[in-house]
Amino acid sequence: MFAKHTVYKHDNYNMLTVEVQGKTLVVREISDQWGETCHKFLSRPEMIHWAEQRFAPEDFPNGEEGLRQTLETLKSI
């Protein structure tokens, strides 16, 4: 059984989840523009680095605060 974490969910079409599959972290990014994208990471630092490069404050309804909350949630997984 895998642990699944919802990082954010703006609506049914814009969300980010992380599944912990043993040592592998599977990030599912779902957006109304691009559909579902799946990323696999072998470490938390690798996942955090990806998120810091991938997201900008403009990507979130509440800007800088939304980005900070998303990164904090990822770090806590």
Side-chain angles (χ1 to χ4, degrees), residues 7 10 13 17-18 24 29 31 36 39 49 52 61 70:
V7 178
H10 301 305
Y13 305 103
T17 63
V18 178
T24 304
E29 186 178 9
S31 77
E36 182 175 327
H39 309 276
H49 177 75
E52 290 172 344
T70 297

Side-chain angles (χ1 to χ4, degrees), residues 12-32:
N12 286 335
Y13 305 103
N14 294 284
M15 66 183 81
L16 186 73
T17 63
V18 178
E19 286 181 22
V20 180
Q21 300 178 356
K23 292 183 178 183
T24 304
L25 301 159
V26 179
V27 176
R28 294 187 196 286
E29 186 178 9
I30 301 169
S31 77
D32 55 0

